[in-house]
Amino acid sequence: YSITIYLILLSFSIFLYKINIAPILISLAPGKFDVYVEFIQNTSLIKIVVYNLFIVVLIIFQKQYIKAKSDLILLNFLFIGVLILNIFADFIPVTRLSYYFFIFQIILVPKFIYSFKDNNFKVIVLFLSLLYYILIFLNALYVDSLSDSKYTMTPYQNYFFKD
């Protein structure tokens, strides 16, 4: 697809988030999904901005690293994940669906980084990619620290280190 179509769809998903269309969509879903309407939590605006900036960068430079049709399919799946995140940002159970599409970053990001010819620019892109993932990690820790839930990510517990 062209960059324009991607950006229009991305803008439209942000518009749907802003007009709060998600409760209506969830209540119209068949089955017991209307229970999720009660699980409204505000998602960090930083999270939405970071994911959207990331996908915009990948879309703008797609001609540089998309060499096969399979790469384009991966980009489209990642884009679908961002659209789901945008529309259902305040509904954590539904937002989790978008995480299944974010797995395609594992393939796309290295292709993106290694597509640049200039090694200095490649290092800059690598640094920015690491900064992107660090911001996602720090945001998750911040949201976790604000959680009232008994089950949190920190302090980390496993088989060897139990309370």
Side-chain angles (χ1 to χ4, degrees):
Y1 302 110
S2 72
I3 294 173
T4 309
I5 292 173
Y6 281 115
L7 294 179
I8 288 171
L9 287 172
L10 199 63
S11 300
F12 186 65
S13 70
I14 293 170
F15 171 73
L16 291 176
Y17 166 69
K18 282 297 189 188
I19 64 169
N20 205 13
I21 193 91
I24 297 167
L25 293 175
I26 292 171
S27 65
L28 292 175
K32 300 179 182 179
F33 292 108
D34 55 345
V35 172
Y36 287 125
V37 174
E38 298 173 10
F39 290 115
I40 297 174
Q41 293 179 335
N42 289 334
T43 299
S44 168
L45 185 61
I46 294 170
K47 178 179 180 178
I48 295 171
V49 169
V50 167
Y51 276 114
N52 281 284
L53 285 177
F54 175 71
I55 196 71
V56 165
V57 168
L58 287 179
I59 289 168
I60 289 172
F61 290 102
Q62 71 178 324
K63 290 187 179 177
Q64 185 162 341
Y65 69 95
I66 301 288
K67 302 296 183 199
K69 188 173 183 174
S70 61
D71 297 337
L72 184 61
I73 291 170
L74 295 176
L75 178 65
N76 287 338
F77 277 137
L78 181 61
F79 184 72
I80 289 169
V82 174
L83 292 178
I84 292 170
L85 177 72
N86 286 344
I87 296 170
F88 298 102
D90 290 338
F91 296 96
I92 301 304
V94 180
T95 303
R96 289 182 189 152
L97 178 66
S98 69
Y99 298 154
Y100 291 105
F101 294 97
F102 291 153
I103 195 75
F104 300 112
Q105 296 177 64
I106 294 171
I107 298 169
L108 289 176
V109 169
K111 283 181 175 265
F112 176 69
I113 292 170
Y114 287 108
S115 69
F116 296 102
K117 305 277 188 247
D118 183 17
N119 284 336
N120 293 331
F121 194 67
K122 197 180 289 188
V123 169
I124 291 170
V125 172
L126 177 63
F127 173 75
L128 291 174
S129 299
L130 288 173
L131 184 64
Y132 162 74
Y133 290 110
I134 289 170
L135 282 174
I136 290 172
F137 177 70
L138 291 176
N139 183 55
L141 290 178
Y142 175 71
V143 170
D144 185 61
S145 70
L146 298 177
S147 177
D148 295 333
S149 175
K150 177 182 173 187
Y151 303 104
T152 59
M153 291 187 291
T154 54
Y156 181 74
Q157 296 179 5
N158 62 27
Y159 182 75
F160 299 107
F161 304 106
K162 292 183 180 180
D163 282 345

